[in-house]
Amino acid sequence: MIKKITGLAATAALLIALTGCAGGDSGSSGEGDDNIVVGFSQVGAESGWRTANTTDIKSAFEDAGIELKFSDAQQKQENQIKAIRSFIQQQVDVIAFSPVVESGWDTVLKEAKDAGIPVVLTDRAVDSEDESLYVSFLGSDFILEGERAGDWVNTEFADTDQVNIVELQGTTGAAPANDRAEGFRNVVTDPKFEIIATQTGDFTRAGGKQVMEAFLKSNPDIDLVYAHNDDMGLGAIEAIEAAGLVPGQDIKIVTVDAVKDGMQALADGKINFIVECSPLLGAQLVEIVEKVVAGEDVESRIVTEETTFTQEQAIEALPDRQY
Ligand code: GYE
């Protein structure tokens, strides 16, 4: 654990940050990365995206020789607040977390600040007005993702008169749910598009299936599903097939994430378009942590680079897809 950074340690950390060659066996060189302790509070294990994100973060910290105290909040804010308080008590060097919802963090973030422990947000944002409560936010632009989904819808249905859309929202109050809903509505503005039903499926496959079953019962004429992640889209596919309809044809589907199972469904023609959201945040998070510990400035907002996938692009990308 590093309480005070000595000049030597800062130089070592800086060198590590510059060369990226920190290793778990660098202990013999004095105060290296081995002494850094990071507390990380993860949202849960609700989706393929989340599993890939957890694996990537754990292996990036292991590769860098940084001790990671990992805590799974099972999609509950109270668990995350407890984990953060416990990290403060253990006097970790840096706290990183992916906030399950946007609101309600100010108190615990102030506690971390008062204890002198820097906080890094990964993946999801908080709505705190006081931006001094965290040093950096690393993650996607979820509004842009919603807009990309909407852009595809505009093109795909350019020649259709009336389009009935149902929306499977992410976890209520989560940044990606709020922003993907907003981005989509920013661009899908033609009155011929109607969002006839919208409900949360909590970013899970089971949630997506259950909500889609209810949508299908009360709406005989659905043209498009907009699912805020692949897993809910995959759940919707099951519900659509169980209702005797063909996903991707009778009802088109656009999702966000581009995890392997989603990409496979896209390659199979059951999903029609996927907007990528990268879960591979580990290496960048390590870099931020090393800089913060070394007392260097970090960018307050680091946006992940992402793309989109058509069926042809999914077929091409699948063999090399890491997650
Ligand atoms: O899209 C979804 C996961 O916060 C970006 O959370 C993440 C989202 C991701 O459950 O699959």
Side-chain angles (χ1 to χ4, degrees):
M1 180 168 313
I2 295 172
K3 285 315 216 30
K4 248 185 223 146
I5 303 165
T6 63
L8 188 67
T11 313
L14 176 63
L15 276 175
I16 287 159
L18 288 174
T19 59
C21 63
D25 57 357
S26 61
S28 57
S29 62
E31 288 198 18
D33 277 8
D34 304 80
N35 300 313
I36 304 173
V37 179
V38 174
F40 182 77
S41 169
Q42 178 61 293
V43 168
E46 74 282 2
S47 65
W49 190 100
R50 188 65 52 198
T51 311
N53 179 246
T54 295
T55 306
D56 187 62
I57 286 174
K58 282 184 177 169
S59 73
F61 278 91
E62 205 182 315
D63 290 351
I66 297 176
E67 184 182 339
L68 185 71
K69 290 183 184 292
F70 182 90
S71 174
D72 178 333
Q74 299 181 319
Q75 295 245 68
K76 292 204 177 74
Q77 181 171 34
E78 69 213 63
N79 291 344
Q80 288 200 298
I81 291 174
K82 256 189 233 157
I84 293 168
R85 290 203 167 121
S86 142
F87 294 148
I88 295 171
Q89 225 164 22
Q90 296 173 65
Q91 296 179 297
V92 300
D93 298 300
V94 178
I95 293 171
F97 82 116
S98 175
V100 59
V101 291
E102 284 191 281
S103 313
W105 299 103
D106 286 27
T107 306
V108 74
L109 289 179
K110 271 192 199 111
E111 289 167 20
K113 192 179 175 187
D114 291 346
I117 302 175
V119 173
V120 180
L121 305 178
T122 72
D123 159 37
R124 296 185 182 178
V126 297
D127 65 3
S128 304
E129 270 166 34
D130 180 359
E131 290 181 3
S132 78
L133 294 176
Y134 53 92
V135 289
S136 188
F137 166 36
L138 163 69
S140 310
D141 181 340
F142 300 131
I143 293 187
L144 181 64
E145 290 172 352
E147 288 174 349
R148 285 178 170 160
D151 286 341
W152 175 80
V153 170
N154 282 332
T155 311
E156 182 70 14
F157 293 94
D159 301 325
T160 316
D161 289 340
Q162 165 75 27
V163 184
N164 292 335
I165 303 173
V166 297
E167 180 181 38
L168 296 168
Q169 292 222 11
T171 302
T172 305
N178 293 340
D179 293 354
R180 287 173 187 166
E182 184 181 330
F184 189 80
R185 285 160 179 77
N186 284 348
V187 298
V188 179
T189 49
D190 191 304
K192 74 180 188 176
F193 293 110
E194 200 182 334
I195 301 178
I196 57 171
T198 175
Q199 203 179 307
T200 180
D202 218 9
F203 278 130
T204 66
R205 213 174 279 208
K209 184 177 177 198
Q210 210 183 344
V211 174
M212 191 64 202
E213 278 165 359
F215 283 170
L216 283 161
K217 274 193 193 125
S218 43
N219 305 283
D221 197 14
I222 298 169
D223 300 302
L224 172 77
V225 176
Y226 169 40
H228 287 188
N229 78 343
D230 288 348
D231 281 83
M232 292 190 294
L234 292 163
I237 288 173
E238 290 177 34
I240 292 168
E241 285 176 339
L245 297 167
V246 182
Q249 289 179 32
D250 295 330
I251 298 180
K252 293 194 171 155
I253 304 178
V254 54
T255 66
V256 185
D257 273 356
V259 294
K260 245 193 191 138
D261 288 355
M263 292 285 271
Q264 188 60 57
L266 177 57
D268 295 342
K270 295 183 177 191
I271 291 178
N272 303 82
F273 192 72
I274 301 183
V275 177
E276 186 184 39
C277 176
S278 176
L280 305 180
L281 305 176
Q284 281 169 296
L285 180 57
V286 164
E287 205 179 311
I288 295 171
V289 164
E290 285 172 335
K291 281 189 178 167
V292 168
V293 171
E296 290 173 45
D297 287 340
V298 291
E299 283 172 64
S300 57
R301 176 76 173 105
I302 300 170
V303 185
T304 323
E305 274 181 37
E306 287 150 357
T307 182
T308 58
F309 293 97
T310 60
Q311 183 180 30
E312 295 72 37
Q313 289 164 331
I315 291 168
E316 206 173 308
L318 253 175
D320 302 324
R321 203 76 185 152
Q322 287 180 50
Y323 54 89

